[in-house]
Amino acid sequence: MVESSSGYKEYVAGLIAGVATVITGHPFDTVKVKLQKHNTVAHGITYKNGLHCTARILKTEGVKGLYRGATPSFVGMGFESSLLFGIYSQTKELLQGGVQSSQPQPLVIIPSAAFSGSIISFVLCPSELVKCRMQVQGTDSLVPKSGRYTGPLDCALTTIKNEGVTAIFRGGTTTLLREAIGNAVFFSVYEHVRYYLHLQLKSTSSDHSNLIDMGIGIVSGGLSGIAFWSAVLPLDVAKTIIQTSPDKSSSRNPFQILNSIYRRAGLKGCYTGLGPTFFRAFPANATAIVTWELAMKLLGVRHD
């Protein structure tokens, strides 16, 4: 836990963590989005699993196919991660009233995390809309070649031109719900796992090295990422459907969409993309937390 606010430093550390997360996790995210798009509609190819989808992408597009839509991810995740960690750290300190607690405080952690998650949803929504629309192109795409985007900027401009300025925020409510709920879960797990691991290791070892801190960061970050997606993956499935639907009049109510998917494919359909999401969640979030904590140390922000 951060002991004192250092203004911009938390935001810089968050930015670095966001870039590291995209490098590690974007290929898994591409597979997740394609599964969510293809395996929840009534027509088009259906993938057997994440490995089948990955093999299809590598066979037809190579490694670059796994990084389709990465540009808006780098921009979105960098900015989003900067805001998330910065706002969370400063809101938590504000709610603590400058009094540091040795133990995690749920009544401080949950509102701080939910608030920061809500704020970043306004950045994430447009960047994820562009990312998702780019990702569903390419291998086995349901999008006709004549209607495909040449790049992220073309995607954003074409969306605004054809559907209006507000279209870039399609799926905004669902993104806000996902981020507020998901980050409340994420930081709750992170703070508690980190606290208890430090407690256990301090009692068994007097040599509290940087290597041990990194190990704690990997475990706490990885478990927090899995907890995040376990809580909100159905909302993410709905968001993908909302943001990639070519029909302007299609429903934007996530619960209505999930109800439709549940009737057609059961609970499994609401958790489409679970495999690549979990495979991505541990390494990507472990990378984010380790990078964030390391950057904070290098920038001179103390941890307890």
Side-chain angles (χ1 to χ4, degrees), residues 137-218:
Q137 294 187 158
T139 304
D140 305 316
S141 179
L142 298 172
V143 182
K145 288 189 176 180
S146 60
R148 295 183 188 179
Y149 308 110
T150 58
L153 183 60
D154 178 52
C155 176
L157 293 175
T158 302
T159 298
I160 293 170
K161 179 182 177 182
N162 296 339
E163 302 173 47
V165 176
T166 56
I168 206 73
F169 286 97
R170 178 189 282 193
T173 301
T174 310
T175 306
L176 188 147
L177 285 172
R178 185 194 72 179
E179 292 302 311
I181 296 168
N183 280 296
V185 172
F186 178 90
F187 280 107
S188 294
V189 173
Y190 164 67
E191 296 280 15
H192 283 85
V193 171
R194 183 175 184 273
Y195 171 75
Y196 286 111
L197 284 177
H198 271 299
L199 207 62
Q200 289 296 318
L201 290 170
K202 280 180 181 177
S203 64
T204 57
S205 174
S206 57
D207 181 26
H208 201 63
S209 67
N210 288 332
L211 196 60
I212 290 176
D213 283 339
M214 187 176 290
I216 291 174
I218 289 170

Side-chain angles (χ1 to χ4, degrees), residues 9-10 12-24 81 85 190 213-214 217-218 221 283-299 303:
K9 292 183 179 180
E10 286 108 338
V12 174
L15 174 65
I16 298 168
V19 172
T21 303
V22 175
I23 293 170
T24 308
S81 186
F85 285 107
Y190 164 67
D213 283 339
M214 187 176 290
I218 289 170
N285 287 282
T287 299
I289 289 297
V290 170
T291 304
W292 179 58
E293 291 184 346
L294 179 61
M296 293 278 274
K297 284 182 181 178
L298 293 174
L299 290 167
H303 282 58

Side-chain angles (χ1 to χ4, degrees), residues 21-37:
T21 303
V22 175
I23 293 170
T24 308
H26 191 81
F28 297 99
D29 188 68
T30 297
V31 173
K32 178 205 73 175
V33 168
K34 289 186 80 70
L35 281 170
Q36 290 175 343
K37 177 65 175 176

Side-chain angles (χ1 to χ4, degrees), residues 77-117:
M77 274 298 291
F79 192 29
E80 171 263 324
S81 186
S82 174
L83 288 175
L84 176 66
F85 285 107
I87 293 172
Y88 171 71
S89 298
Q90 295 189 333
T91 305
K92 188 175 71 168
E93 183 175 319
L94 181 67
L95 291 179
Q96 286 173 331
V99 179
Q100 298 300 318
S101 172
S102 59
Q103 294 184 350
Q105 297 175 289
L107 292 179
V108 170
I109 295 167
I110 292 172
S112 299
F115 175 66
S116 56

